[in-house]
Amino acid sequence: MIFQIDFQAGKPVYLQLADQIRYAAASGRLREGDPLPALRPLAEELRVNRNTIAKAYSELEAQGIIETVPGKGFFLKGTATPFSQQERNRLLIAEIDEAVVMAHHLQIDRAAFLKTVEERADHFELKPAQASNDNPRR
Amino acid sequence: MIFQIDFQAGKPVYLQLADQIRYAAASGRLREGDPLPALRPLAEELRVNRNTIAKAYSELEAQGIIETVPGKGFFLKGTATPFSQQERNRLLIAEIDEAVVMAHHLQIDRAAFLKTVEERADHFELKPAQASNDNPRR
DNA sequence: ATTACTGTCCTATGACACTAGGACAGTGGA
DNA sequence: TCCACTGTCCTAGTGTCATAGGACAGTAAT
């Protein structure tokens, strides 16, 4: 799996990397148990400092997306989220509100908005209900 | 209308103000033609520099949400957005993707996600299709 | 014409974020 | 046991960002 850094993007390198990993996990390109590249090799490949990689990984660890195994490295974590149900709802509603407000200001009506949301949910293959107690790759 | 600044929020003051205005406009609490407070009185009220207010207003102006009338001040702009249809779609899809990725990582399934999106669209009374050629307040 | 408002431009300062290098401790494999 | 890997902690430098004050020009109302 290849990560790409755009030094002209005006976005911090560690956030670009963290976002690419988050999106890869959401889209299934990275799955539970997959190893992430170690800090030093990836730092050399992307020509940044290994602490920059570590900072990106630290962000993802805080969000419960990856975990570290001493002596072995970082791995994609299973589905347990560190947040309570209430906190998860709060976080999601804040993000959805941002999208709705943006739709309003971009003159995108309700029907077009909901249609686009469904398309993107399908694009990412967002899990249907009650599939989460499966254990697909163990 | 009252804006509130939280100096402990860790979020720039100008962004807090800009977001509150954006959300007020999306929810109908601020409407096309409504005047915004002038820079100096609002700066005194919020106890910040008037350039901080100006910076918030400048952000909103760039997004086509407010406009300036020389000698009179800033006003909520009508519905014309400065972005092309293609650019609007791109912006919206990026924001929706962020919400979908977040739903994935928060173990919120597709049905619950879509339900929450509809609720929030209704909460903001996102415009139904083809109402946008109306001219409600002139 | 004058005054008081309006927004805008310029310069400056301090804090913070981003990035980096050195060094250390733990783990696994040979 | 040793070596090469792993991640982590500490300190430091730089550039950017957020915020601020001074001053100016334009407009509207009197």
Side-chain angles (χ1 to χ4, degrees):
Chain A
M1 150 130 249
I2 182 167
F3 302 114
Q4 287 178 319
I5 296 303
D6 178 359
F7 292 102
Q8 315 303 327
K11 180 174 183 177
V13 167
Y14 82 96
L15 280 183
Q16 292 184 48
L17 176 58
D19 284 351
Q20 287 174 41
I21 294 168
R22 263 193 320 121
Y23 275 58
S27 69
R29 287 183 287 112
L30 281 177
R31 301 170 176 273
E32 176 182 356
D34 282 356
L36 286 169
L39 302 181
R40 287 173 180 79
L42 185 58
E44 273 196 46
E45 180 188 330
L46 299 179
R47 300 184 188 290
V48 298
N49 191 268
R50 66 197 170 345
N51 292 330
T52 305
I53 311 297
K55 189 177 171 73
Y57 284 9
S58 171
E59 292 282 314
L60 297 166
E61 193 171 21
Q63 295 164 41
I65 296 170
I66 68 175
E67 64 193 338
T68 181
V69 177
K72 287 188 183 299
F74 284 93
F75 294 82
L76 264 290
K77 204 171 177 178
T79 51
T81 169
F83 303 112
S84 67
Q85 178 69 37
Q86 181 178 22
E87 176 70 0
R88 283 149 64 196
N89 276 349
R90 192 188 66 77
L91 288 166
L92 186 69
I93 285 175
E95 194 58 49
I96 289 174
D97 283 358
E98 185 59 34
V100 173
V101 166
M102 179 175 285
H104 172 96
H105 288 302
L106 295 174
Q107 280 95 59
I108 292 167
D109 61 55
R110 185 183 188 278
F113 175 70
L114 295 180
K115 178 169 173 288
T116 305
V117 167
E118 287 195 18
E119 282 169 4
R120 301 310 296 172
D122 293 339
H123 175 84
F124 279 92
E125 298 181 9
L126 192 60
K127 196 168 298 171
Q130 293 306 330
S132 61
N133 54 6
D134 280 351
N135 213 345
R137 280 176 77 252
R138 294 287 301 180
Chain B
M1 151 130 249
I2 183 166
F3 302 114
Q4 288 179 319
I5 297 302
D6 179 0
F7 292 101
Q8 315 302 329
K11 180 173 184 178
V13 167
Y14 81 95
L15 279 184
Q16 293 183 47
L17 176 58
D19 284 352
Q20 287 173 42
I21 294 168
R22 263 193 320 118
Y23 275 56
S27 69
R29 287 183 287 112
L30 282 176
R31 298 168 177 275
E32 174 182 357
D34 282 356
L36 287 169
L39 304 182
R40 288 173 180 78
L42 185 57
E44 273 196 47
E45 181 189 329
L46 300 180
R47 301 185 187 286
V48 297
N49 191 268
R50 63 185 167 6
N51 292 330
T52 304
I53 311 298
K55 188 176 171 75
Y57 284 9
S58 170
E59 293 282 314
L60 296 165
E61 194 172 19
Q63 295 165 41
I65 296 170
I66 69 174
E67 65 194 336
T68 181
V69 177
K72 288 185 181 302
F74 284 92
F75 295 82
L76 263 292
K77 204 171 178 180
T79 51
T81 170
F83 303 113
S84 67
Q85 178 68 35
Q86 183 178 18
E87 176 70 358
R88 282 147 66 196
N89 276 349
R90 193 187 65 77
L91 289 167
L92 186 69
I93 286 176
E95 194 58 50
I96 289 174
D97 283 358
E98 185 59 33
V100 173
V101 166
M102 179 175 283
H104 172 95
H105 287 302
L106 295 173
Q107 280 95 61
I108 292 168
D109 61 54
R110 185 182 187 280
F113 176 69
L114 295 181
K115 178 169 175 289
T116 306
V117 166
E118 288 196 16
E119 282 168 5
R120 301 311 295 172
D122 293 339
H123 174 84
F124 280 92
E125 299 180 9
L126 191 60
K127 197 169 296 174
Q130 292 307 328
S132 60
N133 54 6
D134 282 350
N135 213 345
R137 281 175 78 248
R138 295 287 297 181

